[in-house]
Amino acid sequence: MIHEGLVKGLFREAFWVGFGLLSSVCALLVGTRLLTSLLSTTEYGKMALAVSLATLALHFCGNPIGQTATRFYANWAGAGKLTHLVWNLVRSLGWAMGGIVLAVLLVTMAGIYVDGFPSFSLGMATGLFAILLVAIRVASGLEDAARERRFRGIVQGVFELSRFLFAIGLVCLWDQNNAQTVLGGFVAAGFLTVAIHGFFLYRLIKRSTGSQANRTCMATPADAAGLRQFQMPLIISNGCIWVVMMAERWALTRWGSLADVGGYAAVHQLAFVPMLFVSTFLLLLTEPVLYQRMGLDTAKESASHALHVNRHIALLVFCVTLIFSGLLFFIHSWVGSLFLGAEFRLYSWMFPWLLLAGGCFAAAQQLLLKLSCEMRTGRLAGLWGMVAVIAVVSYLMGAHYWQLKGILTAVVGVNGLLLAFAITLPQMGGKKG
């Protein structure tokens, strides 16, 4: 029998995780509706490309460090080594920020010669936003691991709401309907959110390391090596995830137009991204619990039962996706008129297809949690690398021959193939890799 207190605790956690994600979705829907009314499709396309670059930094730097924090927090805290874990994460974060600064300088220089790359001012704003996103992701990873769900959920909602409010406020205040102004609002919200996270984590870590055991227990070289062994493949796999999710926009700039990029990005944000929020809700709820129960021993019988439940969750996500995608085939025009500005509504036909692609991606993410739980991040990197290569080839061919329709076909096909791989490949091979 499951203890009643445990059930109540999980219910409370589910509520606050859901609160954070639901408020994010609401902010996304309302914010997209207002921004697509204020910006032209071309300016929205510039903003989408800039955000995709910031998201690239998040995937390469923020996600691997945040996932490492979540995976090892319970084990290291229980062993009295939390301080050493935090310092390892801070060191990784410092290297990541240095890399972002270097990349921003290279991208802004490339913008002088390559059409579609950000201008100097937009490049600087993109770099700042990228650094803030990475810091927020690492802080969120620690809070998820500590199961500080209420704070995490509230701050996530505050960030999503404030970035749209600040962006729209700056556009109206300065009367500058361009991508630079929108990114300025995003950066202001990022600074506010990082400050809130920093204050909370300082108090949390100080409280958690207050005992003598946590102050004196030393980490060994093998501990640090274990962190690196887990984290390094995640850099590859998360970079490949960015390729699968964002590279199509850059292919479209070569054989399409910035207006098409803007229209595609707006619909993608309303159809594909909400499915990511659904997947994120489930991952945030189950991942820290799984790690606490499994520790670093993946052979426990309880782990097998938990992963079996996770497969049923993935099946449910996919079935719900099929239902809503079918419904959108009939009502996509109405949805477009409700959530898109007038200039963007001719792209509403993409709603069902991008929702289907997002559902495949979300279900695949659930299934691939098995590899992280079993410490097989090497195999995870290999899988994502294979999918990324297929995605790049598909996006380039689709954009070259059929422009926007070709890109959409490639996106649906790649995410469907990803789901097929996620069903089969994690079941093959041993427990390490």
Side-chain angles (χ1 to χ4, degrees):
M1 294 292 290
I2 300 176
H3 194 273
E4 183 179 354
L6 176 62
V7 174
K8 290 181 178 179
L10 288 174
F11 179 79
R12 283 194 298 270
E13 291 187 36
F15 172 81
W16 287 112
V17 172
F19 172 84
L21 292 171
L22 183 60
S23 58
S24 297
V25 170
C26 292
L28 183 71
L29 295 176
V30 176
T32 301
R33 178 65 176 85
L34 294 174
L35 284 180
T36 54
S37 300
L38 293 171
L39 301 183
S40 67
T41 51
T42 299
E43 285 298 322
Y44 201 94
K46 291 179 181 179
M47 184 206 71
L49 293 177
V51 170
S52 77
L53 291 176
T55 307
L56 174 61
L58 175 64
H59 277 82
F60 261 118
C61 305
N63 282 345
I65 303 172
Q67 288 171 290
T68 302
T70 304
R71 182 66 181 93
F72 287 87
Y73 180 94
N75 185 264
W76 282 47
K81 302 174 183 177
L82 182 57
T83 301
H84 301 287
L85 175 63
V86 171
W87 279 114
N88 274 282
L89 297 175
V90 169
R91 189 179 301 114
S92 296
L93 188 59
W95 281 105
M97 290 183 174
I100 293 171
V101 171
L102 178 61
V104 167
L105 294 175
L106 294 175
V107 168
T108 51
M109 290 175 63
I112 301 173
Y113 306 102
V114 181
D115 185 36
F117 274 64
S119 62
F120 179 80
S121 59
L122 188 58
M124 291 296 104
T126 302
L128 275 175
F129 187 51
I131 289 173
L132 293 167
L133 283 181
V134 170
I136 290 169
R137 175 65 183 92
V138 176
S140 299
L142 283 168
E143 290 154 7
D144 288 332
R147 297 174 71 171
E148 295 286 347
R149 308 293 201 171
R150 181 170 61 179
F151 177 83
R152 166 72 155 86
I154 292 172
V155 174
Q156 181 179 1
V158 167
F159 172 63
E160 293 295 338
L161 179 63
S162 63
R163 75 184 182 101
F164 283 110
L165 284 177
F166 287 176
I168 294 166
L170 289 180
V171 168
C172 296
L173 181 64
W174 294 346
D175 196 24
Q176 296 288 326
N177 298 47
N178 55 43
Q180 290 94 321
T181 306
V182 172
L183 260 293
F186 289 180
V187 167
F191 274 117
L192 173 64
T193 308
V194 166
I196 295 172
H197 276 299
F199 179 73
F200 180 81
L201 282 175
Y202 174 77
R203 296 183 62 187
L204 173 66
I205 294 169
K206 186 176 180 181
R207 183 174 69 247
S208 300
T209 57
S211 68
Q212 183 66 25
N214 276 325
R215 288 199 300 268
T216 59
C217 193
M218 298 297 295
T220 66
D223 291 329
L227 288 180
R228 290 193 299 270
Q229 185 180 7
F230 181 83
Q231 184 176 319
M232 295 306 292
L234 291 176
I235 297 174
I236 299 172
S237 58
N238 277 283
C240 294
I241 290 173
W242 180 88
V243 171
V244 173
M245 290 180 57
M246 296 286 178
E248 80 280 22
R249 301 164 197 220
W250 293 93
L252 197 56
T253 61
R254 175 66 178 83
W255 288 286
S257 66
L258 277 176
D260 282 343
V261 174
Y264 171 86
V267 178
H268 184 278
Q269 193 158 285
L270 294 172
F272 192 103
V273 173
M275 294 308 300
L276 295 186
F277 281 128
V278 171
S279 177
T280 301
F281 165 76
L282 297 170
L283 288 174
L284 289 178
L285 183 62
T286 59
E287 195 175 24
V289 179
L290 279 174
Y291 291 161
Q292 284 188 6
R293 290 181 174 276
M294 293 171 64
L296 300 181
D297 178 11
T298 61
K300 292 181 179 179
E301 184 179 353
S302 59
S304 177
H305 289 305
L307 292 172
H308 183 70
V309 172
N310 199 55
R311 289 193 289 272
H312 284 85
I313 292 173
L315 177 62
L316 177 63
V317 169
F318 183 68
C319 291
V320 171
T321 298
L322 291 178
I323 294 171
F324 280 96
S325 296
L327 180 63
L328 278 172
F329 275 109
F330 301 99
I331 65 169
H332 64 79
S333 296
W334 176 78
V335 173
S337 65
L338 187 63
F339 292 110
L340 293 171
E343 193 176 346
F344 292 76
R345 290 170 190 166
L346 59 92
Y347 297 97
S348 66
W349 60 273
M350 293 187 289
F351 267 111
W353 297 108
L354 287 176
L355 183 69
L356 177 61
C360 290
F361 186 94
Q365 286 284 78
Q366 286 297 130
L367 295 171
L368 293 176
L369 179 59
K370 175 181 170 67
L371 294 177
S372 293
C373 286
E374 294 176 350
M375 306 288 284
R376 291 194 285 164
T377 52
R379 170 160 292 199
L380 190 64
L383 186 153
W384 278 111
M386 179 171 57
V387 174
V389 170
I390 295 171
V392 168
V393 174
S394 302
Y395 296 162
L396 292 176
M397 291 181 61
H400 178 71
Y401 290 106
W402 301 286
Q403 290 77 52
L404 186 56
K405 289 184 178 180
I407 283 290
L408 188 64
T409 302
V411 168
V412 176
V414 166
N415 282 279
L417 185 63
L418 170 64
L419 178 58
F421 285 158
I423 292 170
T424 56
L425 293 185
Q427 313 304 323
M428 302 165 56
K431 297 289 184 186
K432 298 282 182 186

